[in-house]
Amino acid sequence: MRVTVSRKAHFNAAHRLYRKDWSFEQNETVFGKCNNPNYHGHNYELIVSVTGEVDKDTGYVIDMKILKDIIKNEVEDAFDHKNLNEQVPEFENLNPTAEHIAVVIYNKMKPKLSAALDLEITLYETPRNFVTYSGS
């Protein structure tokens, strides 16, 4: 039987949405106030969902302590209280939109999980704006 288990986490981070190869005016037109050269911040909420077969011996899809540690090491330690544009290497040449952040989180976490497990990342940038990515 396949079951999905999920764990919530959060991190606070600053970013600026802009493209280095565009003029300030073009960035302002596309990204508006999110193009603020002094950056702006979000209290990101993260839901990490793992789907797989329930182990007949443990009753787990994944030990939640293991999942907690992966989230801490790969996401919270890397992103929390950071300027994503300036301090997180994955965004050196990648615009840190919610979409890109979710994909980066997926790519950091997926190799840490058994290949038999499916991963889905849901990232809330605000309580009303969120993205979901599952590797496709």
Short mmCIF file of all heavy atoms in Angstrom, two decimals, residues 80-115:
data_model
loop_
_atom_site.label_atom_id
_atom_site.label_comp_id
_atom_site.label_asym_id
_atom_site.label_seq_id
_atom_site.Cartn_x
_atom_site.Cartn_y
_atom_site.Cartn_z
N ASP A 80 17.55 29.62 5.90
CA ASP A 80 16.94 30.41 6.96
C ASP A 80 17.80 31.62 7.32
O ASP A 80 19.01 31.51 7.54
CB ASP A 80 16.71 29.56 8.21
CG ASP A 80 15.85 30.27 9.25
OD1 ASP A 80 14.90 30.98 8.85
OD2 ASP A 80 16.11 30.11 10.45
N HIS A 81 17.14 32.78 7.37
CA HIS A 81 17.77 34.07 7.68
C HIS A 81 18.92 34.38 6.72
O HIS A 81 19.95 34.90 7.12
CB HIS A 81 18.21 34.13 9.15
CG HIS A 81 17.06 34.33 10.07
ND1 HIS A 81 16.28 33.28 10.48
CD2 HIS A 81 16.55 35.45 10.61
CE1 HIS A 81 15.32 33.75 11.27
NE2 HIS A 81 15.45 35.06 11.37
N LYS A 82 18.70 34.07 5.45
CA LYS A 82 19.69 34.34 4.41
C LYS A 82 19.07 35.27 3.37
O LYS A 82 17.86 35.33 3.20
CB LYS A 82 20.12 33.04 3.71
CG LYS A 82 20.73 31.99 4.62
CD LYS A 82 22.17 32.28 4.91
CE LYS A 82 22.80 31.36 5.92
NZ LYS A 82 22.91 29.98 5.55
N ASN A 83 19.96 35.97 2.68
CA ASN A 83 19.58 36.68 1.47
C ASN A 83 19.80 35.67 0.34
O ASN A 83 20.94 35.31 0.05
CB ASN A 83 20.46 37.92 1.30
CG ASN A 83 20.14 38.68 0.04
OD1 ASN A 83 19.91 38.10 -1.02
ND2 ASN A 83 20.16 40.00 0.13
N LEU A 84 18.73 35.20 -0.25
CA LEU A 84 18.84 34.13 -1.24
C LEU A 84 19.72 34.54 -2.42
O LEU A 84 20.52 33.73 -2.90
CB LEU A 84 17.46 33.70 -1.72
CG LEU A 84 16.52 33.16 -0.63
CD1 LEU A 84 15.15 32.83 -1.22
CD2 LEU A 84 17.12 31.96 0.08
N ASN A 85 19.58 35.77 -2.87
CA ASN A 85 20.38 36.24 -4.00
C ASN A 85 21.87 36.26 -3.70
O ASN A 85 22.70 35.96 -4.55
CB ASN A 85 19.97 37.66 -4.42
CG ASN A 85 18.53 37.78 -4.80
OD1 ASN A 85 17.66 37.79 -3.94
ND2 ASN A 85 18.26 37.90 -6.08
N GLU A 86 22.21 36.65 -2.47
CA GLU A 86 23.61 36.92 -2.12
C GLU A 86 24.30 35.78 -1.39
O GLU A 86 25.52 35.67 -1.44
CB GLU A 86 23.69 38.18 -1.25
CG GLU A 86 23.12 39.43 -1.89
CD GLU A 86 23.97 39.95 -3.02
OE1 GLU A 86 25.18 39.72 -2.99
OE2 GLU A 86 23.41 40.58 -3.94
N GLN A 87 23.55 34.95 -0.67
CA GLN A 87 24.16 33.99 0.24
C GLN A 87 23.90 32.52 -0.09
O GLN A 87 24.46 31.65 0.56
CB GLN A 87 23.69 34.24 1.67
CG GLN A 87 24.11 35.60 2.22
CD GLN A 87 23.57 35.82 3.61
OE1 GLN A 87 22.41 36.16 3.78
NE2 GLN A 87 24.41 35.59 4.61
N VAL A 88 23.07 32.25 -1.06
CA VAL A 88 22.74 30.86 -1.41
C VAL A 88 23.26 30.58 -2.82
O VAL A 88 22.75 31.16 -3.79
CB VAL A 88 21.22 30.62 -1.29
CG1 VAL A 88 20.87 29.19 -1.68
CG2 VAL A 88 20.74 30.93 0.13
N PRO A 89 24.27 29.72 -2.93
CA PRO A 89 24.94 29.51 -4.23
C PRO A 89 23.99 29.12 -5.36
O PRO A 89 24.21 29.51 -6.51
CB PRO A 89 25.94 28.38 -3.95
CG PRO A 89 26.15 28.41 -2.47
CD PRO A 89 24.89 28.94 -1.86
N GLU A 90 22.95 28.37 -5.06
CA GLU A 90 22.02 27.93 -6.11
C GLU A 90 21.34 29.09 -6.83
O GLU A 90 20.87 28.93 -7.96
CB GLU A 90 20.95 27.00 -5.53
CG GLU A 90 21.46 25.64 -5.11
CD GLU A 90 22.02 25.56 -3.71
OE1 GLU A 90 22.14 26.62 -3.03
OE2 GLU A 90 22.35 24.46 -3.26
N PHE A 91 21.29 30.27 -6.18
CA PHE A 91 20.61 31.42 -6.79
C PHE A 91 21.58 32.47 -7.33
O PHE A 91 21.15 33.57 -7.68
CB PHE A 91 19.63 32.03 -5.79
CG PHE A 91 18.55 31.06 -5.40
CD1 PHE A 91 18.53 30.51 -4.13
CD2 PHE A 91 17.59 30.67 -6.31
CE1 PHE A 91 17.56 29.59 -3.77
CE2 PHE A 91 16.62 29.74 -5.97
CZ PHE A 91 16.60 29.21 -4.70
N GLU A 92 22.84 32.12 -7.44
CA GLU A 92 23.81 33.06 -7.99
C GLU A 92 23.41 33.49 -9.40
O GLU A 92 23.53 34.66 -9.76
CB GLU A 92 25.21 32.44 -8.01
CG GLU A 92 26.26 33.39 -8.51
CD GLU A 92 27.66 32.79 -8.46
OE1 GLU A 92 27.89 31.85 -7.69
OE2 GLU A 92 28.51 33.28 -9.22
N ASN A 93 22.90 32.55 -10.19
CA ASN A 93 22.48 32.85 -11.56
C ASN A 93 21.05 32.39 -11.82
O ASN A 93 20.68 32.13 -12.97
CB ASN A 93 23.43 32.21 -12.56
CG ASN A 93 24.81 32.82 -12.48
OD1 ASN A 93 24.98 34.03 -12.61
ND2 ASN A 93 25.80 31.99 -12.20
N LEU A 94 20.26 32.27 -10.76
CA LEU A 94 18.88 31.81 -10.88
C LEU A 94 17.99 32.75 -10.08
O LEU A 94 18.23 32.96 -8.88
CB LEU A 94 18.78 30.38 -10.33
CG LEU A 94 17.44 29.66 -10.45
CD1 LEU A 94 17.06 29.44 -11.92
CD2 LEU A 94 17.50 28.32 -9.72
N ASN A 95 17.00 33.32 -10.73
CA ASN A 95 16.08 34.25 -10.07
C ASN A 95 15.33 33.50 -8.97
O ASN A 95 14.67 32.49 -9.25
CB ASN A 95 15.11 34.81 -11.11
CG ASN A 95 14.49 36.12 -10.71
OD1 ASN A 95 14.82 36.69 -9.68
ND2 ASN A 95 13.58 36.60 -11.55
N PRO A 96 15.40 33.95 -7.71
CA PRO A 96 14.81 33.19 -6.60
C PRO A 96 13.29 33.39 -6.46
O PRO A 96 12.79 33.84 -5.43
CB PRO A 96 15.57 33.70 -5.38
CG PRO A 96 15.91 35.10 -5.73
CD PRO A 96 16.19 35.09 -7.20
N THR A 97 12.57 33.04 -7.51
CA THR A 97 11.11 33.03 -7.45
C THR A 97 10.67 31.84 -6.60
O THR A 97 11.44 30.90 -6.37
CB THR A 97 10.51 32.87 -8.86
OG1 THR A 97 10.94 31.61 -9.41
CG2 THR A 97 10.92 34.01 -9.79
N ALA A 98 9.43 31.85 -6.17
CA ALA A 98 8.92 30.71 -5.39
C ALA A 98 9.04 29.42 -6.20
O ALA A 98 9.38 28.37 -5.65
CB ALA A 98 7.47 30.97 -4.98
N GLU A 99 8.80 29.52 -7.50
CA GLU A 99 8.91 28.34 -8.36
C GLU A 99 10.33 27.77 -8.33
O GLU A 99 10.53 26.56 -8.15
CB GLU A 99 8.53 28.70 -9.81
CG GLU A 99 7.07 29.08 -9.99
CD GLU A 99 6.75 30.56 -9.77
OE1 GLU A 99 7.53 31.27 -9.10
OE2 GLU A 99 5.71 31.02 -10.27
N HIS A 100 11.30 28.65 -8.52
CA HIS A 100 12.70 28.20 -8.51
C HIS A 100 13.13 27.69 -7.14
O HIS A 100 13.87 26.71 -7.04
CB HIS A 100 13.64 29.31 -8.97
CG HIS A 100 13.62 29.53 -10.45
ND1 HIS A 100 13.95 30.73 -11.01
CD2 HIS A 100 13.32 28.71 -11.48
CE1 HIS A 100 13.86 30.64 -12.32
NE2 HIS A 100 13.48 29.41 -12.63
N ILE A 101 12.68 28.35 -6.07
CA ILE A 101 13.04 27.90 -4.72
C ILE A 101 12.52 26.48 -4.49
O ILE A 101 13.23 25.62 -3.97
CB ILE A 101 12.51 28.87 -3.65
CG1 ILE A 101 13.16 30.25 -3.80
CG2 ILE A 101 12.79 28.32 -2.24
CD1 ILE A 101 12.48 31.35 -3.00
N ALA A 102 11.27 26.22 -4.89
CA ALA A 102 10.70 24.88 -4.73
C ALA A 102 11.49 23.82 -5.50
O ALA A 102 11.76 22.74 -4.98
CB ALA A 102 9.23 24.87 -5.17
N VAL A 103 11.90 24.15 -6.72
CA VAL A 103 12.69 23.21 -7.53
C VAL A 103 14.05 22.97 -6.89
O VAL A 103 14.53 21.83 -6.82
CB VAL A 103 12.82 23.71 -8.98
CG1 VAL A 103 13.81 22.86 -9.77
CG2 VAL A 103 11.46 23.71 -9.67
N VAL A 104 14.69 24.02 -6.41
CA VAL A 104 15.99 23.88 -5.75
C VAL A 104 15.86 22.99 -4.51
O VAL A 104 16.68 22.10 -4.29
CB VAL A 104 16.60 25.26 -5.39
CG1 VAL A 104 17.75 25.13 -4.43
CG2 VAL A 104 17.05 25.97 -6.67
N ILE A 105 14.83 23.21 -3.71
CA ILE A 105 14.61 22.38 -2.52
C ILE A 105 14.43 20.92 -2.93
O ILE A 105 15.03 20.01 -2.35
CB ILE A 105 13.41 22.89 -1.70
CG1 ILE A 105 13.76 24.24 -1.05
CG2 ILE A 105 12.98 21.86 -0.65
CD1 ILE A 105 12.58 24.94 -0.41
N TYR A 106 13.62 20.69 -3.95
CA TYR A 106 13.41 19.32 -4.44
C TYR A 106 14.74 18.69 -4.85
O TYR A 106 15.05 17.56 -4.46
CB TYR A 106 12.45 19.35 -5.64
CG TYR A 106 12.21 18.00 -6.26
CD1 TYR A 106 11.11 17.23 -5.90
CD2 TYR A 106 13.08 17.49 -7.22
CE1 TYR A 106 10.90 15.99 -6.47
CE2 TYR A 106 12.87 16.25 -7.80
CZ TYR A 106 11.78 15.51 -7.42
OH TYR A 106 11.58 14.27 -7.98
N ASN A 107 15.53 19.43 -5.62
CA ASN A 107 16.80 18.90 -6.12
C ASN A 107 17.82 18.65 -5.01
O ASN A 107 18.69 17.78 -5.15
CB ASN A 107 17.39 19.83 -7.18
CG ASN A 107 16.59 19.79 -8.47
OD1 ASN A 107 15.88 18.82 -8.75
ND2 ASN A 107 16.67 20.85 -9.25
N LYS A 108 17.74 19.41 -3.93
CA LYS A 108 18.62 19.19 -2.78
C LYS A 108 18.18 17.97 -1.97
O LYS A 108 19.01 17.24 -1.43
CB LYS A 108 18.66 20.43 -1.88
CG LYS A 108 19.43 21.61 -2.48
CD LYS A 108 19.26 22.88 -1.68
CE LYS A 108 19.91 22.86 -0.33
NZ LYS A 108 21.36 22.90 -0.30
N MET A 109 16.88 17.76 -1.88
CA MET A 109 16.35 16.69 -1.02
C MET A 109 16.25 15.33 -1.71
O MET A 109 16.49 14.30 -1.08
CB MET A 109 14.97 17.08 -0.48
CG MET A 109 15.02 18.21 0.53
SD MET A 109 13.45 18.44 1.36
CE MET A 109 13.30 16.86 2.20
N LYS A 110 15.89 15.31 -2.97
CA LYS A 110 15.61 14.04 -3.67
C LYS A 110 16.78 13.05 -3.58
O LYS A 110 16.55 11.87 -3.29
CB LYS A 110 15.23 14.32 -5.12
CG LYS A 110 14.84 13.09 -5.91
CD LYS A 110 13.57 12.44 -5.40
CE LYS A 110 13.13 11.33 -6.35
NZ LYS A 110 12.43 10.25 -5.67
N PRO A 111 18.03 13.47 -3.76
CA PRO A 111 19.13 12.50 -3.67
C PRO A 111 19.33 11.91 -2.27
O PRO A 111 19.98 10.88 -2.12
CB PRO A 111 20.37 13.31 -4.07
CG PRO A 111 19.87 14.49 -4.79
CD PRO A 111 18.51 14.78 -4.22
N LYS A 112 18.76 12.55 -1.26
CA LYS A 112 18.90 12.07 0.12
C LYS A 112 17.86 11.00 0.47
O LYS A 112 17.92 10.42 1.55
CB LYS A 112 18.77 13.24 1.12
CG LYS A 112 19.70 14.40 0.86
CD LYS A 112 21.14 14.01 1.04
CE LYS A 112 22.04 15.21 0.79
NZ LYS A 112 23.43 14.86 0.86
N LEU A 113 16.91 10.78 -0.43
CA LEU A 113 15.84 9.82 -0.20
C LEU A 113 16.05 8.56 -1.02
O LEU A 113 16.70 8.60 -2.08
CB LEU A 113 14.49 10.43 -0.58
CG LEU A 113 14.05 11.69 0.16
CD1 LEU A 113 12.81 12.29 -0.50
CD2 LEU A 113 13.80 11.39 1.62
N SER A 114 15.47 7.47 -0.58
CA SER A 114 15.47 6.24 -1.36
C SER A 114 14.84 6.51 -2.73
O SER A 114 13.86 7.25 -2.84
CB SER A 114 14.67 5.17 -0.62
OG SER A 114 14.30 4.13 -1.49
N ALA A 115 15.40 5.89 -3.76
CA ALA A 115 14.86 6.06 -5.11
C ALA A 115 13.42 5.57 -5.22
O ALA A 115 12.69 5.99 -6.12
CB ALA A 115 15.75 5.35 -6.13
#
